Amino acid sequence: MMKILQLVTKRQYRGAEVFAANLSAELIGFGHEIIFAGLYKNDSDVLEVKGATNIDLIENKSGILSTKLVRAIIKLIKTEQPDVVQCNGSDTLKYMVAASYFTNKIPITYRNISTISEWIDSPFKLSIYKFLFKRVAHVTSVGSESIHDLIKTFNYPAEKTSVIRRGIPIKEVKSSQIWFRLRNELKLKDSDKIVMHIGNFSPEKNHIFLLDIFSDLKKENPEIKLVCVGAGVTFHSIKTKITEQNLEKTVFLLGFRKDIPELLSQADCFTLVSKIEGVPGVILEAASQKVPSVATNVGGVPEVLINGKTGFIINNFDKDVFKKHLIILVNDTTLNTRMGENAFKLIENEFNPVKNARKFENLYSRLSGKSGYKHKKLRILQIIQKKQFRGAEVFASQLSTHLQNSGHVVKLVSIYEGEARLPFSGEIESLKRNKLRRTFDPYGWRKLSAIIQSFQPDIIQANASDTLKYAVMSKHIFRWKVPLIYRNASTPSFYMKTTFTRNINAFLLKNVDLVISVSKASLTDLNSLFSFTKNKSIVIPVGIEEKPKIDRTISNSPFKNKEIFNLIHIGSFTKEKNHIGLLRIFKKILCQDRNVHLNLVGGGPMLANIKNTVDRMGIKNNVDFWGDIEDPQRFLSYADALLLPSLIEGLPGVILEAMYNSTPVIAYDVGGISEVLENNVTGKLVNFGDENSFYNAVREVKNDPEQTSLMIENARIKVNENYKNTDIKELFLKGYKELI
């Protein structure tokens, strides 16, 4: 159990404070102790967390720096001795940093909810905040754009940051009762449509823009009404303008309200027209009531609103376009229902409060040293097949580095020698075995056993089929007892065609303590082949490394002709990658459009055969072979599309890399690919084997930049939310812990 201090500006019903309260409630449910402290006293509508210690530190805000408030925080820290402090708001950070010089060292986290560069308006303020952030152990942000902005603005270490989304509680409301009450309150007809805006009344919320829109709608669509919820400095001036523009029967101001879910349940549409935003949680609150949104394209809006799927994003504050989409969304019942359902699914999948609270719990545990692993540094042995740039080896190396960075001791061993410089921060020891002897290699099995005897691991993880064979045979013959995990990165039925092969693999898998599959498809396929694996199988996907985006103004394209439309395929030259099918598709594209080029990255047993096929097809001048490359990021950043017509896949990391680097993906629907690619939403998903549809999908990506741009943005959001190695590592540690 940890004691966690949540510092908020005031215990009030505003976004940052409500989030901190909801997070605190989840953490209390996990068994932790929470102090929910407001810097200043709030006189009305006080926000409280059930089960927490709820306190205010001083009466009112006074001056630039209140020594009284600093002393109050020092006293609180010394009395309560929290394990970690989370600052929610700039004042909380300022005062906590000041107090930290007079207390024992406690990890300070800061929750960033805005685009920070937009309010750093002077060199002096910049220097002050750079100084403050030097005392911060970790910064969490509500979105990717805001965290990249913070890193760039303060030159803050990226490894000390993470994106943890808002958790949005889903509250069921009795809408029929509220329907009558709200319409009676506002004197609305049954046929009237409600567009709702919820937010503080301040200049950046841009209520004036809404009044201009509804002045037009009053004439054209008088049944569409605007209901605004909130209070603030511009409330009375907006109320006056409503009267001046004769909008009293079109625009309604409800003031401050606590019953937000109930009000949202009555909206036909939610709207946000802010000039500045971080990642607006109110759009997500609307989505929790199956209400789609129309919003201006500012800040992190695209991270919570998927254009064309959960509502509409309007660029450049175009009043006519905004008005048009409002009308469409409130009048088209079918579209409204579909987008509302999509918005609700987004909340369920990506903004789950329990899931995101667990991420905070893991962060606090790591920073405070109170981890769920009883302070023990795990000793982990990772076995890979070969030092090569292949998905299984690259991911195992990245995972091992993250495990080491978390304080665990990791040893990486390869069965066969190789030349690739894999992304592991330590040395990779090789057994230097001969592949021709892999069926029966007692000396190799004994050599692996000797490493295990010397290293004394708590967990052993075998990554790929040959590693499983060596680990199981070594364990079976030399009788070591370490728990063994097998990482299943494919759909094994593709390879196990004979009874003999299945029997061999059944024997191997019976000696495994846990199977970690990269996708649901991989898990289902394995379980269908070997039913006994059902009770020892879990899914943990592959992940991506967070890296700065490549700046094209200072970096050169790796391609020979960057003006042409460059298609790329990254993968080993093996049968299952289907290079022959890829070449047929590419030649068909060439027949219609000579302004394309195919770039093939990778090595493998079929490389020479594919080169000969390219010659025979007469497309040698249109195809480049790049061999194995250490880091595909520059290639993906400059590529116009990634093509993956594989015959079989588990969950290919290269798709996630492409999505992260804003490269559109076209792939066959095999294995776990559909778990990350949604057709026309995050990429192009083509029915397996349909080369004609694959060709058409490539043409659509090239010729429809608007849809392609939308898919790229949706894909980037999805991968940032669900597939970062910093989060994936925690899932592996949880699996290790439960197995031990």
Side-chain angles (χ1 to χ4, degrees):
M1 185 186 79
M2 292 178 288
K3 183 183 282 189
I4 302 156
L5 171 58
Q6 290 281 352
L7 275 180
V8 297
T9 307
K10 285 185 179 181
R11 292 191 294 123
Q12 60 192 338
Y13 284 87
R14 289 184 59 182
E17 287 83 358
V18 170
F19 171 83
N22 289 339
L23 171 60
S24 296
E26 295 292 348
L27 292 168
I28 289 169
F30 298 162
H32 303 294
E33 184 178 346
I34 301 293
I35 305 150
F36 189 65
L39 298 184
Y40 319 113
K41 186 177 180 181
N42 186 29
D43 294 324
S44 61
D45 300 310
V46 178
L47 178 61
E48 291 202 347
V49 177
K50 186 178 180 181
T53 300
N54 294 276
I55 57 171
D56 300 315
L57 297 177
I58 64 172
E59 287 289 325
N60 299 304
K61 184 173 183 177
S62 61
I64 296 174
L65 186 69
S66 166
T67 55
K68 181 180 179 182
L69 181 51
V70 174
R71 289 196 302 270
I73 294 176
I74 293 169
K75 182 179 178 182
L76 177 65
I77 297 291
K78 288 183 175 179
T79 302
E80 296 291 345
Q81 297 186 358
D83 297 300
V84 67
V85 178
Q86 178 161 309
C87 297
N88 301 277
S90 57
D91 268 14
T92 65
L93 176 63
K94 176 175 67 176
Y95 281 102
M96 183 59 219
V97 168
S100 70
Y101 285 93
F102 305 96
T103 65
N104 293 331
K105 190 173 182 180
I106 298 169
I108 300 172
T109 70
Y110 177 69
R111 183 169 177 268
N112 174 42
I113 63 170
S114 66
T115 308
I116 211 160
S117 63
E118 291 177 348
W119 50 269
I120 299 293
D121 53 9
S122 70
F124 176 72
K125 188 179 281 189
L126 177 63
S127 63
I128 289 293
Y129 275 92
K130 278 188 174 180
F131 169 77
L132 292 176
F133 276 96
K134 286 181 180 178
R135 302 284 290 185
V136 175
H138 196 91
V139 178
T140 65
S141 183
V142 291
S144 304
E145 290 301 323
S146 53
I147 203 64
H148 287 308
D149 177 77
L150 183 140
I151 291 166
K152 183 178 179 181
T153 301
F154 298 135
N155 194 28
Y156 193 78
E159 65 272 14
K160 292 170 64 176
T161 68
S162 57
V163 173
I164 305 182
R165 299 292 190 188
R166 302 172 192 267
I168 304 297
I170 296 174
K171 182 177 180 180
E172 292 187 23
V173 298
K174 296 178 180 178
S175 58
S176 58
Q177 296 176 10
I178 301 157
W179 189 89
F180 287 111
R181 190 170 71 236
L182 181 62
R183 287 175 184 268
N184 286 337
E185 179 183 347
L186 303 179
K187 296 181 173 57
L188 299 181
K189 299 175 184 175
D190 291 356
S191 58
D192 286 339
K193 305 288 187 180
I194 295 176
V195 175
M196 194 165 288
H197 179 278
I198 297 174
N200 193 40
F201 275 71
S202 57
E204 64 269 17
K205 293 300 182 182
N206 203 15
H207 288 84
I208 296 294
F209 183 80
L210 279 176
L211 296 189
D212 289 343
I213 288 174
F214 277 83
S215 289
D216 291 346
L217 286 175
K218 176 187 172 184
K219 307 165 195 169
E220 304 164 7
N221 297 83
E223 76 284 357
I224 302 178
K225 311 296 184 181
L226 174 65
V227 177
C228 295
V229 182
V233 294
T234 63
F235 182 87
H236 292 293
S237 64
I238 295 299
K239 188 174 183 179
T240 300
K241 288 184 182 297
I242 290 170
T243 303
E244 291 172 352
Q245 297 180 32
N246 196 25
L247 291 172
E248 296 97 326
K249 294 184 179 180
T250 301
V251 180
F252 303 88
L253 306 185
L254 297 186
F256 172 79
R257 298 283 288 257
K258 289 184 180 180
D259 55 340
I260 298 302
E262 289 79 5
L263 291 172
L264 282 168
S265 70
Q266 299 311 301
D268 296 284
C269 168
F270 180 79
T271 188
L272 196 74
V273 294
S274 304
K275 297 175 182 177
I276 300 171
E277 280 290 352
V279 178
V282 69
I283 288 179
L284 300 170
E285 291 184 66
S288 74
Q289 298 302 321
K290 301 185 179 179
V291 176
S293 298
V294 180
T296 48
N297 191 2
V298 295
V301 166
E303 299 187 42
V304 292
L305 202 170
I306 303 175
N307 191 31
K309 185 178 180 184
T310 67
F312 296 109
I313 297 175
I314 311 302
N315 295 318
N316 304 319
F317 294 91
D318 190 316
K319 186 175 75 169
D320 291 334
V321 174
F322 202 103
K323 183 173 61 176
K324 172 188 168 186
H325 284 86
L326 272 181
I327 294 168
I328 290 171
L329 196 50
V330 297
N331 287 333
D332 187 334
T333 305
T334 303
L335 176 68
N336 191 291
T337 301
R338 184 174 75 247
M339 286 190 164
E341 290 289 347
N342 290 340
F344 186 76
K345 288 176 185 174
L346 179 69
I347 293 294
E348 285 189 311
N349 294 335
E350 299 188 19
F351 295 90
N352 182 291
V354 176
K355 171 184 170 184
N356 289 316
R358 285 294 186 194
K359 290 182 180 180
F360 276 101
E361 181 187 44
N362 289 334
L363 171 65
Y364 299 156
S365 297
R366 178 167 61 82
L367 294 176
S368 66
K370 288 197 167 187
S371 72
Y373 307 101
K374 298 181 181 178
H375 304 285
K376 178 183 178 182
K377 289 183 178 180
L378 294 180
R379 299 180 67 82
I380 304 159
L381 177 64
Q382 295 275 357
I383 310 174
I384 60 173
Q385 188 160 308
K386 183 181 178 181
K387 287 184 271 187
Q388 59 186 347
F389 292 122
R390 191 180 67 154
E393 284 81 4
V394 170
F395 176 75
S397 301
Q398 292 170 341
L399 173 63
S400 297
T401 295
H402 282 286
L403 292 167
Q404 275 195 342
N405 292 342
S406 295
H408 304 285
V409 182
V410 183
K411 190 174 188 66
L412 197 58
V413 173
S414 69
I415 303 296
Y416 312 116
E417 190 57 279
E419 301 301 320
R421 293 187 305 167
L422 289 168
F424 176 55
S425 55
E427 298 236 351
I428 301 176
E429 185 174 346
S430 176
L431 299 181
K432 299 181 180 179
R433 308 314 303 147
N434 187 330
K435 271 198 169 187
L436 297 176
R437 298 178 181 173
R438 62 183 177 179
T439 304
F440 187 75
D441 188 6
Y443 183 77
W445 304 336
R446 183 168 62 186
K447 198 170 181 180
L448 178 59
S449 178
I451 290 173
I452 293 167
Q453 294 278 345
S454 172
F455 182 59
Q456 292 290 303
D458 299 300
I459 284 284
I460 298 173
Q461 182 168 309
N463 301 275
S465 56
D466 274 9
T467 65
L468 175 64
K469 186 189 309 175
Y470 270 81
V472 168
M473 294 309 298
S474 176
K475 182 176 187 177
H476 193 70
I477 293 173
F478 297 100
R479 301 295 178 185
W480 44 263
K481 303 294 185 182
V482 185
L484 176 61
I485 294 172
Y486 172 57
R487 185 167 174 269
N488 171 36
S490 187
T491 45
S493 62
F494 181 80
Y495 304 98
M496 300 179 193
K497 302 293 187 184
T498 67
T499 302
F500 176 75
T501 304
R502 286 194 291 270
N503 287 341
I504 289 292
N505 280 277
F507 164 74
L508 296 175
L509 289 166
K510 282 178 180 177
N511 285 275
V512 166
D513 299 286
L514 178 67
V515 179
I516 299 177
S517 292
V518 296
S519 65
K520 294 175 185 175
S522 297
L523 178 141
T524 301
D525 185 76
L526 184 76
N527 291 167
S528 66
L529 277 176
F530 308 107
S531 59
F532 63 84
T533 62
K534 289 181 180 178
N535 294 327
K536 57 179 180 181
S537 293
I538 61 173
V539 173
I540 304 179
V542 294
I544 54 98
E545 293 291 289
E546 294 183 74
K547 301 174 185 175
K549 295 290 176 66
I550 288 181
D551 186 347
R552 294 195 183 199
T553 62
I554 59 175
S555 173
N556 294 321
S557 169
F559 300 122
K560 293 177 181 176
N561 185 349
K562 64 181 179 181
E563 303 303 325
I564 212 163
F565 196 79
N566 278 290
L567 304 169
I568 192 169
H569 177 276
I570 300 176
S572 300
F573 282 81
T574 54
K575 179 183 176 183
E576 58 267 26
K577 294 299 181 184
N578 192 24
H579 287 83
I580 299 296
L582 174 60
L583 294 177
R584 285 196 300 265
I585 294 165
F586 178 65
K587 187 168 184 180
K588 186 172 182 178
I589 297 168
L590 270 180
C591 291
Q592 299 296 321
D593 185 352
R594 303 298 296 182
N595 192 41
V596 292
H597 202 84
L598 179 61
N599 299 273
L600 301 176
V601 175
M606 291 185 66
L607 176 58
N609 178 48
I610 298 302
K611 285 185 174 180
N612 290 335
T613 303
V614 167
D615 286 344
R616 287 197 306 272
M617 293 175 75
I619 56 175
K620 185 176 181 179
N621 294 331
N622 307 98
V623 180
D624 284 328
F625 292 85
W626 294 94
D628 281 322
I629 55 175
E630 185 170 339
D631 185 354
Q633 185 184 20
R634 194 158 68 97
F635 280 80
L636 285 170
S637 293
Y638 279 92
D640 295 294
L642 172 74
L643 309 185
L644 206 69
S646 304
L647 304 178
I648 192 69
E649 287 287 358
L651 181 63
V654 69
I655 284 184
L656 301 176
E657 291 277 357
M659 292 165 74
Y660 182 73
N661 286 286
S662 300
T663 304
V665 178
I666 303 120
Y668 277 150
D669 185 3
V670 296
I673 289 179
S674 63
E675 293 170 35
V676 294
L677 271 194
E678 184 177 351
N679 192 37
N680 291 327
V681 177
T682 57
K684 292 285 188 180
L685 193 64
V686 180
N687 288 335
F688 175 64
D690 189 344
E691 292 184 0
N692 191 52
S693 292
F694 203 108
Y695 155 81
N696 288 330
V698 177
R699 298 278 294 163
E700 287 168 11
V701 165
K702 184 174 187 291
N703 298 325
D704 189 349
E706 186 174 344
Q707 187 201 41
T708 299
S709 177
L710 175 62
M711 290 191 303
I712 286 171
E713 181 61 22
N714 293 340
R716 187 183 62 80
I717 292 168
K718 184 165 189 172
V719 76
N720 272 301
E721 176 61 31
N722 297 296
Y723 297 99
K724 288 185 177 176
N725 277 336
T726 48
D727 296 330
I728 300 296
K729 168 209 64 180
E730 296 295 339
L731 299 178
F732 274 91
L733 282 172
K734 184 174 182 289
Y736 298 161
K737 172 197 169 187
E738 290 175 355
L739 186 57
I740 292 172

